[in-house]
Amino acid sequence: KKNNQEYFLHQPMEPEGFPKINPGKAAILLNMPQKKIKKIVSKNLKNIYGAVGINNHMGSAFTQNRKKMEELLKLVKQKDLIFVDSLTSNKSVAYKTAVSMGIPAARNEIFLDNKDNLEYILKRFSILKERIKKNGKYIAIGHIHKKNLPVAFSKIIPEFEKEGITFLTISEYIKDERIIS
């Protein structure tokens, strides 16, 4: 926020394999009533005041459940936020549900930093660049707490700019999509 950057609440959600795989205490779970989901997400949003949207951390089981996604997305819509489906499951209904509810939404297409290793992240940026050249645009997710992501960005931005590739925030991307459509 200090650097005037757009950011999201990376909301933990129930993964497949829960409870063996633990998404953390700030997670929303399939067995929670809507009231509790709203309370947890509202508290998480207050903790990172100024977020422009929400995307899911883990959440593969949660994002496959249309009813639970509708409960979460009612809050997203009420707070006039964007929703990005991190696409942690190819069975996710999150993006389609958000769109059907009239919520500005997008879908992740590549994770940049599943490993906090500079070579790995640079390779992911290379894959991203090839996909952009092929498809014209692409959405990628990176995590603010990864120490090598900013280093990779400082190396990649000039390279991408030389090739005419511009980085957009999700808000800019969605606005651009609406203009084109």
Side-chain angles (χ1 to χ4, degrees):
K1 187 168 178 129
K2 263 192 300 191
N3 294 328
N4 203 27
Q5 296 292 316
E6 183 172 291
Y7 56 94
F8 280 65
L9 166 60
H10 194 50
Q11 175 60 53
M13 298 181 191
E14 183 173 326
E16 292 178 332
F18 178 80
K20 188 176 181 183
I21 300 171
N22 185 352
K25 64 180 180 185
I28 54 176
L29 306 172
L30 290 170
N31 66 356
M32 291 179 172
Q34 183 175 10
K35 204 177 220 181
K36 185 160 186 180
I37 290 170
K38 184 176 181 176
K39 182 179 178 183
I40 289 170
V41 174
S42 294
K43 181 181 178 188
N44 293 343
L45 283 167
K46 279 183 188 166
N47 287 338
I48 60 156
Y49 180 77
V52 300
I54 294 176
N55 73 309
N56 58 293
H57 171 63
M58 296 184 167
S60 52
F62 199 95
T63 61
Q64 292 176 44
N65 186 302
R66 185 174 187 88
K67 181 179 181 286
K68 288 298 176 183
M69 283 307 307
E70 286 173 349
E71 290 174 9
L72 168 65
L73 292 168
K74 283 178 186 173
L75 178 63
V76 171
K77 187 169 187 159
Q78 178 187 2
K79 298 205 176 268
D80 198 25
L81 299 171
I82 297 167
F83 181 78
V84 174
D85 184 352
S86 298
L87 215 55
T88 55
S89 167
N90 60 4
K91 297 176 192 165
S92 175
V93 297
Y95 171 76
K96 286 182 179 176
T97 305
V99 170
S100 75
M101 293 173 69
I103 296 166
R107 270 186 291 231
N108 176 43
E109 296 169 296
I110 187 171
F111 284 102
L112 297 172
D113 55 4
N114 283 340
K115 297 178 191 170
D116 196 4
N117 169 288
L118 185 57
E119 282 183 38
Y120 173 85
I121 295 170
L122 290 172
K123 182 157 178 64
R124 301 299 286 173
F125 270 112
S126 179
I127 293 167
L128 174 64
K129 182 168 56 169
E130 292 309 311
R131 290 180 179 175
I132 291 169
K133 286 179 176 181
K134 184 179 177 185
N135 300 313
K137 57 190 171 189
Y138 234 72
I139 293 177
I141 289 181
H143 300 83
I144 195 168
H145 65 278
K146 303 289 178 108
K147 68 177 182 168
N148 285 300
L149 186 63
V151 177
F153 261 115
S154 68
K155 291 176 182 278
I156 290 300
I157 289 175
E159 180 185 317
F160 274 49
E161 286 176 345
K162 276 185 202 168
E163 297 192 43
I165 299 171
T166 305
F167 286 90
L168 301 174
T169 64
I170 290 293
S171 294
E172 292 167 334
Y173 182 93
I174 288 172
K175 187 176 182 180
D176 192 50
E177 284 287 294
R178 288 182 175 165
I179 292 168
I180 292 169
S181 297

